[in-house]
Amino acid sequence: MSGVNGSNQDVDIDLGRIIAAVWERKARILGATVIAAAVTLVGASLMKPSYRGEARLLIESRSPNLSGGEGAPQANDPVLDSLNVTSQAQLLQSSDLIKRVVHDLKLAQLKEFDPAAQSLLPDPLVLIGLKQDPMTLDPEDRVIQEFREKLQVYPVENSRVIAIEFSSHDQKLAADIPNRMAEVYLEIQSGAKLDTHSETAKWLEPEIVRLTGKVQEAEKKVADYRSSNGLFQTTETNSFSTQQLNDISTELARVRAERANAEARAENVRAALKAGRASDTLTDVVGSQVIQRLKEAEANLQAQISDQSTQLLEGHPRLKGLRAQLGGIRQQIDSETKKILASLENDAEVARLRERQLMTQLNGLKADSAKSGEEEVGLRALEREATAQRQLLETYLARFREATSRLDSNASPADARVVSRAVEPSEPYFPKIVPIVIVVSLATFIFGCLIVMIIELFSGRALRPSGVGDVESDREGKALPAPVPAATVTPAATPLPVHQMQAEAARFDVSEAAAKARAKVAEKFIASKAEEQVEKADASDEGFTIGSVAHYLQRHDVPVAIAISPGGDQGSTATVMLAREIAGQGRTVALIDMTGSACPTRLMAENPKLPGITDLLCGETAFGDAIHRDRLSDAHIIPHGASDPSKAMRGVDRLTMIIDALADAYDLVLVECGPAEIAGISRLARDETADIILSVPGFREDEVAKLVTDFEMAGYRHLLVMAEAGDLHSPRRGRRRAA
């Protein structure tokens, strides 16, 4: 068979044998497991328990807001990010902090923290040089090293909380050490803040004194410069010259307004007199008291004239006198109006003179103001210097007051607080006796099973030839017998009879195996153990019987044999008997019915119309559906089929692939061709090394000789003759003669 060539046969792991080997040694494995569990139980019980305490700190800004309002964070407040929290966790593991805790709790006096100094026996690893002698270190360093091994500080994920865990054999110490570490950490943080404020106050004090002198000097320079240049300030923003300029500008605007008003009034009166309009329409004339009295007198005279006119004639002296008085009053009104006009013109002239004077003063002040502006440039520079020094001094004074107010320890709390203090643990965290015993027991059990498996694998007892499968079900749902692994037969065993060893060989459910082209099963040990048995049987056999041909095929491990039956159905019947003979000896056999009469199909299949080789070649059926069991043996038959043979011959090129697939799944594939011609065999036989079985029951010797000669002439050298028992010589001698 393919895949089995002497000692180069592929092998698989026999899981059944491995499980059986573990089951056989179950007492030893369970005993070792129980012993390991007992030893572990005793050892864990004798171990000194360790306790673990945990304290937790919350990192947060605790700078007091003394303003009373909700102020912004100060510039020196810490940034509470993940890096800051991690940094604080590292600070908790610093040597200085650990030294303070060790000193406060006197841990150096305890054996737990300095076991090397108080141990009576030397360390074997130190003696052989595999470990440094701890006594070469300072006692303080040894205690700190042991302390670090028991300490665990880590930030809690997604928070600003830092956990401090410490393990100790003493329950009280397991709680006291984390609490003391938290207290020392807060003291260090608060002390660092106090040191910062104290150093700030010490630095600011001389700086304030120095700045005070600078401010005084700068302000004196400003005052001297003002005095020397006449730059006197009337207000915080205006100087004397600027104030004068503003005042004269305001007065000039007012005088100009008065002049314009006086000129307009005078022009109005002049225009009225020139036009001859009544004077009582002019505001300036009407407003004069003299004009008002004259108007009253004029009105009285007109009333008298009107009254007397009704009683006296026009030429009466009294009327003439009254009219003369009325004319005099009107002349007085005109004279008074002209006086008012002259007064208005005089006011306009005065305003013009005042305007000229103010303009003269304004031009002088402009020149003085320009000169003052140039001098104020230097003044502003001195004022800026004085202002800057004053602001810096005020800032320093505020910082100094703040720093001095926080020199008290209560005014500078640490930027952290304890949110969970450690308590004395009631139960040890190590050793957990029950889990340790369970783990060790499981490990021992698994390790024992692994040792047994490795021994079985290296001894070869758990190996089997490649392709040996599990028990499967055939197409009808019946279970086939499982193959016997080759590893179950040791080389030292007594050779079994051929038929007994063959009965123990593997059998297959080929309906599924052929469809999947599984690796064929080779029972190498049967061939190796049966070699001597077959040689003896061949030496005693003197005829071309079915049994002798079967023995030969098994001995030479022939995968594919082509059977030619020149006599027709009689030879095909002998081929069927050959297949049943080999199957009866424990080998897996598949017979392909390539005959025209379908004789093997009628003999082996329950229904001659089952799908077979012609259906496969036509592609009308599945591979597994074309394989059927022999109704009288464990052999399998690929029937003739129900498809048209002429149509099937068009796909004859697929026949070799079908035979190869069957050869991978069966020990032997028999192709019964019936009375085929030599030329037609070339499609099945790939080369001259093909094994040809001539099934010639009832043939004479000369006829058999002629057939052998014809096949030899065609180039076939491996010929086997199968005839009635005693008709011809043994197949092995016939094979040598044919070769």
Side-chain angles (χ1 to χ4, degrees), residues 388-556:
Q389 296 292 342
R390 189 183 304 107
Q391 290 177 351
L392 183 60
L393 176 61
E394 291 174 357
T395 302
Y396 278 13
L397 287 173
R399 295 286 178 86
F400 181 77
R401 287 192 296 269
E402 182 181 358
T404 53
S405 66
R406 295 186 178 186
L407 291 178
D408 189 358
S409 59
N410 295 327
S412 299
D415 292 327
R417 61 187 177 91
V418 179
V419 295
S420 176
R421 293 183 59 84
V423 297
E424 293 187 14
S426 58
E427 296 182 358
Y429 84 95
F430 182 84
K432 300 291 186 181
I433 298 177
V434 175
I436 291 176
V437 171
I438 293 175
V439 170
V440 172
S441 301
L442 288 176
T444 305
F445 179 78
I446 294 172
F447 186 69
C449 294
L450 288 177
I451 291 177
V452 173
M453 294 178 186
I454 292 172
I455 292 174
E456 289 297 314
L457 289 174
F458 278 94
S459 65
R461 292 190 295 271
L463 300 177
R464 66 183 179 189
S466 178
V468 176
D470 298 331
V471 177
E472 300 175 347
S473 299
D474 60 3
R475 295 177 66 254
E476 292 78 13
K478 299 178 181 179
L480 298 179
V484 180
T488 57
V489 182
T490 61
T494 304
L496 298 174
V498 174
H499 67 278
Q500 184 176 352
M501 289 189 291
Q502 292 169 343
E504 293 176 352
R507 305 167 187 259
F508 291 90
D509 177 12
V510 297
S511 61
E512 187 68 18
K516 296 182 180 180
R518 297 185 310 186
K520 66 178 179 177
V521 178
E523 295 297 336
K524 180 182 175 182
F525 77 99
I526 295 180
S528 61
K529 293 299 179 181
E531 183 69 21
E532 295 180 359
Q533 303 286 343
V534 174
E535 291 291 341
K536 293 179 181 180
D538 287 343
S540 61
D541 192 0
E542 296 297 335
F544 289 110
T545 63
I546 294 174
S548 62
V549 174
H551 292 166
Y552 176 83
L553 294 175
Q554 294 183 50
R555 183 181 63 181
H556 292 277

Side-chain angles (χ1 to χ4, degrees), residues 26 51 80 96 166 433 455 473 596:
K26 60 182 181 296
Y51 300 89
L80 301 178
D96 294 338
F166 193 85
I433 298 177
I455 292 174
S473 299

Side-chain angles (χ1 to χ4, degrees), residues 199 272 464 589:
E199 292 174 359
R464 66 183 179 189
V589 183

Side-chain angles (χ1 to χ4, degrees), residues 42-60:
V42 174
S45 301
L46 295 177
M47 293 176 65
K48 195 171 184 180
S50 295
Y51 300 89
R52 176 178 292 170
E54 179 188 77
R56 295 200 171 193
L57 290 171
L58 174 62
I59 307 299
E60 62 179 359

Side-chain angles (χ1 to χ4, degrees), residues 77-94:
D77 287 346
V79 180
L80 301 178
D81 56 0
S82 59
L83 295 178
N84 180 268
V85 175
T86 305
S87 301
Q88 300 306 313
Q90 294 299 320
L91 178 60
L92 280 164
Q93 304 177 60
S94 63

